Amino acid sequence: MREDNCIFCKIANGDIPSKVLYEDEEFKVILDLGPATKGHALILPKNHYHNLYDLPDETAGKVMLLAKKMTVHMTEKLKCDGFNLVQNNGEAAGQTVFHFHLHLIPRYAEDGQTLGWKPLELSQEELEEIKSIIIG
């Protein structure tokens, strides 16, 4: 299942050339054209899924196994100091291409990149209320 107007479907299925690091029947791993760091890559399913909410459980599990395999290999080859795995869902969360993808971002001690957030200051009561909302 593909979407004709999806750029990641076209890349994942070979219609648009890319720098391929890995490929099998279900996935393609490519270098990001706008990398955060040297070696920044994307895991793309060949089937179209809008985001994590649409991804079948079995496919989600395979994505994480592939991410582990790739980060171990890339850490060895690139000699990076760490890794970020980033996956955005929805425009408010920073998703710009609406085809599920997982960013594999090698981190280097002096790479100048940041990934974080400003922590909220919540009381125990507020945390309990949020917990109640989530689990009932």
Side-chain angles (χ1 to χ4, degrees):
M1 116 185 113
R2 296 172 56 180
E3 282 197 8
D4 292 335
N5 61 346
C6 174
I7 191 165
F8 280 0
C9 281
K10 292 175 183 176
I11 292 169
N13 290 285
D15 301 332
I16 295 175
S18 59
K19 302 296 182 199
V20 179
L21 303 179
Y22 173 86
E23 183 170 10
D24 63 24
E25 303 79 34
E26 292 184 72
F27 302 101
K28 188 176 275 191
V29 181
I30 63 166
L31 288 176
D32 193 305
L33 291 179
T37 64
K38 183 178 89 174
H40 180 167
L42 304 174
I43 296 178
L44 305 175
K46 291 184 177 180
N47 286 327
H48 183 84
Y49 305 103
H50 193 75
N51 53 35
L52 182 64
Y53 306 117
D54 295 339
L55 199 64
D57 291 349
E58 182 178 342
T59 305
K62 289 177 180 179
V63 166
M64 288 308 294
L65 291 172
L66 180 53
K68 179 181 179 193
K69 175 181 175 177
M70 292 302 302
T71 56
V72 167
H73 180 74
M74 292 169 72
T75 297
E76 176 187 325
K77 296 296 184 180
L78 295 171
K79 308 293 186 222
C80 57
D81 301 307
F83 246 94
N84 288 123
L85 303 182
V86 177
Q87 202 283 307
N88 303 317
N89 295 283
E91 192 174 331
Q95 186 177 10
T96 58
V97 178
F98 294 89
H99 177 116
F100 173 89
H101 56 287
L102 180 64
H103 293 261
L104 307 176
I105 306 173
R107 298 304 304 269
Y108 305 90
E110 304 297 325
D111 64 23
Q113 293 291 351
T114 59
L115 180 68
W117 50 88
K118 182 180 174 184
L120 298 175
E121 294 182 22
L122 298 177
S123 68
Q124 289 300 313
E125 293 78 22
E126 290 169 311
L127 292 170
E128 187 61 40
E129 180 182 350
I130 293 165
K131 175 186 163 193
S132 295
I133 290 169
I134 293 171
I135 65 170

